[in-house]
Amino acid sequence: MDFTPTEEQSAAQELAAQIFGDLSTHERLAAGTGTDTELWKALCAAGLPGAVEDIGLLGLVLVLEEQGRTTAQVPFAATCVYGVLAVSGHGTDEQRARLLPALRDGTAVATGAFPAGGDVRAVAPGRLSGSLPFVPWLRDASHVLVPDADRGLWIVPTAEAEVTEVETTAPWAAGRLVLSGTAAERLGGPDAYESVLALGRTAFAGLQAGVCAGSLTRAVAYTSTREQFGRALSTNQGVLLRAADAYMDTEAIRVTAYEAAWRQDEGLDAAAEVLTAAWWASEAGKRVVHAGQHLHGGTGADLDHPVHRHFLWGRQLDAYLGCGSQLLPELGKLIAKEPSRESR
């Protein structure tokens, strides 16, 4: 395994860090709970959504780390995973030619109703009916990738569906999706669902790594300057141990996300690695954002403090695409039936 970024991946990460750092400020984030349209335009003008096809899933994970550090309110992960990568990986030549240009330049926004769990069914050729209670970034999306009850994937134009606002823990512009004989087009074959779910779990694990890193950075800065009884809080052993545990958890999320992404980019079997990364993002991510808030003491209870956004994002990502208690049995069953890695 070699997680050393390529020149293109490093350039994309540095560009993303600059844009997120310049535009995703506390003042802008505190101004509202919806998508930051100016930030989205800046990311698209820089060509970052379209670059994911060149920098691969590992490159996307690196870029999403930078988004997570600032909890930037844009549908970047959703558009890249459920739009650009899903269509480029599973679409027909005609679908790629028709859909990808707008997804690459950001004039189209995609999201996905993942994981499967609703009652969506095909009621006629090219027609879906059913409802999904929560779809992230749905209120911003022009297209939503919907799995039916049999885990077949369909692209649905949101203009053709009924969308109602849903508030979630993190400000992800979510909505409830209702389909009533709504026009849809099939994407990919029987393996497309599992492939896109693996992409999503890996990408959002990378986003969680950034959220946790940002939370920990704020906690370190606060405890290094806040004094109690004449000395910095960071000199207390309990504070040091809590921060150290949070650092190790963050590194575990990061390295497992990198491994899962690298194996998928290399065309290797990554089923166990994807579930491992998703489990760490859920279980460890939850611990880290709680630690970040607790290390701020009473300040961490302030809903307007920047660290609280990391707490909200971390808890949302903890449950999204499967929480730890759901992922662990899935991982255990996979390990039990798989041959050893050496025999593959």
Side-chain angles (χ1 to χ4, degrees), residues 49-73:
V52 68
E53 293 173 277
D54 298 320
I55 62 177
L57 186 55
L58 180 56
L60 176 59
V61 165
L62 294 171
V63 171
L64 289 174
E65 274 194 77
E66 301 305 326
Q67 179 184 358
R69 290 179 196 275
T70 60
T71 59
Q73 292 168 195

Side-chain angles (χ1 to χ4, degrees), residues 18-344:
Q18 179 182 345
I19 295 172
F20 286 128
D22 289 345
L23 296 181
S24 189
T25 61
H26 173 58
E27 291 73 23
R28 289 172 66 94
L29 288 167
T33 59
T35 294
D36 187 334
T37 55
E38 293 304 314
L39 175 57
W40 179 245
K41 289 177 183 177
L43 292 168
C44 296
L48 284 172
V52 68
E53 293 173 277
D54 298 320
I55 62 177
L57 186 55
L58 180 56
L60 176 59
V61 165
L62 294 171
V63 171
L64 289 174
E65 274 194 77
E66 301 305 326
Q67 179 184 358
R69 290 179 196 275
T70 60
T71 59
Q73 292 168 195
V74 286
F76 189 82
T79 293
C80 289
V81 171
Y82 304 126
V84 177
L85 293 180
V87 174
S88 64
H90 301 284
T92 63
D93 291 341
E94 187 277 333
Q95 286 173 323
R96 294 190 189 102
R98 173 166 47 88
L99 297 171
L100 282 176
L103 290 167
R104 288 169 180 150
D105 66 21
T107 53
V109 172
T111 189
F114 281 68
D119 59 351
V120 175
R121 293 187 179 278
V123 294
R127 298 282 173 175
L128 297 179
S129 287
S131 63
L132 295 156
F134 156 72
V135 181
W137 308 111
L138 182 62
R139 303 199 309 266
D140 294 329
S142 56
H143 299 80
V144 55
L145 192 60
V146 178
D148 62 25
D150 298 320
R151 297 192 172 186
L153 290 186
W154 301 80
I155 302 172
V156 177
T158 53
E160 303 292 328
E162 179 185 338
V163 175
T164 55
E165 182 175 345
V166 172
E167 291 300 330
T168 55
T169 301
W172 284 6
R176 181 172 184 264
L177 181 68
V178 177
L179 306 172
S180 303
T182 305
E185 59 179 304
R186 191 66 186 265
L187 181 73
D191 298 329
Y193 172 80
E194 292 296 339
S195 173
V196 175
L197 179 59
L199 291 173
R201 282 174 166 167
T202 306
F204 282 95
L207 184 62
Q208 181 75 300
V211 169
C212 291
S215 175
L216 185 58
T217 297
R218 292 187 182 280
V220 169
Y222 177 82
T223 57
S224 297
T225 56
R226 176 71 171 176
E227 291 189 356
Q228 189 177 59
F229 305 116
R231 63 177 189 173
L233 289 173
S234 60
T235 61
N236 295 319
Q237 187 178 43
V239 172
L240 288 170
L241 292 173
R242 191 76 188 277
D245 286 342
Y247 174 78
M248 294 303 296
D249 272 338
T250 301
E251 288 302 295
I253 299 169
R254 176 181 287 118
V255 73
T256 53
Y258 285 4
E259 182 180 12
W262 177 81
R263 291 189 67 86
Q264 288 172 88
D265 283 342
E266 294 296 311
L268 302 172
D269 178 20
E273 286 76 12
V274 168
L275 287 168
T276 301
W279 184 87
W280 273 103
S282 174
E283 292 293 307
K286 181 167 48 184
R287 290 195 296 266
V288 173
V289 295
H290 274 267
Q293 194 160 16
H294 290 167
L295 288 172
H296 279 76
T299 303
D302 182 356
L303 301 185
D304 294 323
H305 194 280
V307 77
H308 188 67
R309 286 197 303 273
H310 292 270
F311 175 78
L312 296 178
W313 277 67
R315 290 312 307 257
Q316 187 76 57
L317 287 164
D318 159 39
Y320 184 52
L321 299 183
C323 64
S325 60
Q326 294 171 312
L327 295 165
L328 204 55
E330 190 177 344
L331 178 59
K333 291 177 182 177
L334 179 65
I335 293 172
K337 71 179 183 180
E338 275 193 341
S340 66
R341 180 57 55 83
E342 288 75 16
S343 65
R344 281 188 259 170

